[in-house]
Amino acid sequence: MASINQQPAGRPDSGRSFIPVAWLIIVMALSAYGLISSWRLIGDFNLPESVLFLIYGGLTGGVVTILWGLYLLGLAFNRSARFPRHYTIGQVAIILWLVVRQAYTLLVPDFVFSAEGLGFTVAEIAIGLLCIYLLRRGAGADTVYANPEAVRPPLLVSLVAALLGIILGGAIGACIGFFAGSLIADATHMSCFEGACGFFAVFIGLGGLIIGAVGGGIFAIWRVNRRKAARRA
């Protein structure tokens, strides 16, 4: 007997359930940037303990955010029914971290109040709450993320592929970025006084590293899920 593929009933999604996926990629890119920019501060014991505590907490949170985000992308690419619930759990954890971090910087005297930083944190929380709202039950996301749990991507395989993609993508992106920065510096006759042209090339290389790392991880997750889907077909 031929089986009929029935889609769950619900309101049309109109593409809104893909907004959380886009925001997830942005959050992962911001976390990668935070990791790279804070890495040089590790072991700098000239900083107050309260500042080092926040730095180490941010580094830990960034690593967890990227790894969990890659797993969520695997669920999203596979249209897994587990994606909305797992995304909500991860987004709630991120919002709690943002609240704790902001409260910490406001209460500890070693930090200076920044209206710009507060506004950025409030915007992140607001967008996160919007994404949770878009993935709520009855909002239409269940018509997009409808694959049963049996077809979810293996967590270990996804993480290994993502780590390899991050390493390779970051290395390739850094090389391309540094080479492009050097070419731009030469083409624009940029002054090398006090290493200005070298710093510019390194800055472009850093941007390439971030883009390559995030892109490599996403591509690896997509590739693993595509191969798995092809085998099932």
Side-chain angles (χ1 to χ4, degrees):
M1 180 181 296
S3 60
I4 301 176
N5 184 19
Q6 295 181 346
Q7 295 292 336
R11 296 189 305 171
D13 177 73
S14 302
R16 292 177 298 177
S17 62
F18 294 109
I19 295 177
V21 179
W23 177 241
L24 174 62
I25 296 174
I26 295 175
V27 170
M28 291 169 59
L30 292 175
S31 298
Y33 176 77
L35 287 176
I36 296 173
S37 60
S38 300
W39 196 262
R40 60 184 178 84
L41 300 177
I42 295 179
D44 188 354
F45 297 105
N46 294 323
L47 296 174
E49 292 185 0
S50 57
V51 177
L52 290 176
F53 179 78
L54 183 63
I55 291 173
Y56 291 141
L59 290 173
T60 303
V63 171
V64 173
T65 298
I66 292 173
L67 293 179
W68 185 253
L70 290 171
Y71 172 64
L72 291 178
L73 286 177
L75 296 178
F77 288 145
N78 209 34
R79 302 295 180 88
S80 172
R82 296 165 62 93
F83 174 74
R85 180 166 62 90
H86 284 207
Y87 180 91
T88 299
I89 294 173
Q91 189 60 63
V92 169
I94 291 175
I95 291 175
L96 291 177
W97 160 249
L98 291 173
V99 172
V100 171
R101 185 188 66 182
Q102 187 62 49
Y104 183 79
T105 57
L106 291 176
L107 297 176
V108 176
D110 290 325
F111 297 95
V112 179
F113 172 77
S114 171
E116 181 181 356
L118 178 61
F120 191 78
T121 299
V122 171
E124 284 188 270
I125 294 175
I127 297 175
L129 292 174
L130 173 63
C131 292
I132 293 175
Y133 178 78
L134 293 176
L135 293 178
R136 74 191 188 282
R137 289 187 178 181
D142 52 345
T143 64
V144 176
Y145 306 106
N147 286 344
E149 295 185 359
V151 298
R152 68 181 185 274
L155 177 58
L156 181 60
V157 173
S158 296
L159 289 181
V160 171
L163 287 175
L164 292 176
I166 289 174
I167 295 173
L168 293 176
I172 295 173
C175 292
I176 295 176
F178 182 79
F179 181 71
S182 300
L183 290 180
I184 294 174
D186 291 338
T188 58
H189 303 289
M190 184 178 298
S191 173
C192 289
F193 179 72
E194 294 185 349
C197 57
F199 282 117
F200 176 77
V202 171
F203 177 77
I204 299 299
L206 179 61
L209 188 150
I210 296 174
I211 296 174
V214 175
I218 294 173
F219 175 79
I221 289 291
W222 171 78
R223 187 65 179 174
V224 167
N225 284 272
R226 183 183 180 188
R227 290 184 63 181
K228 185 175 180 181
R231 289 177 181 176
R232 287 200 305 268

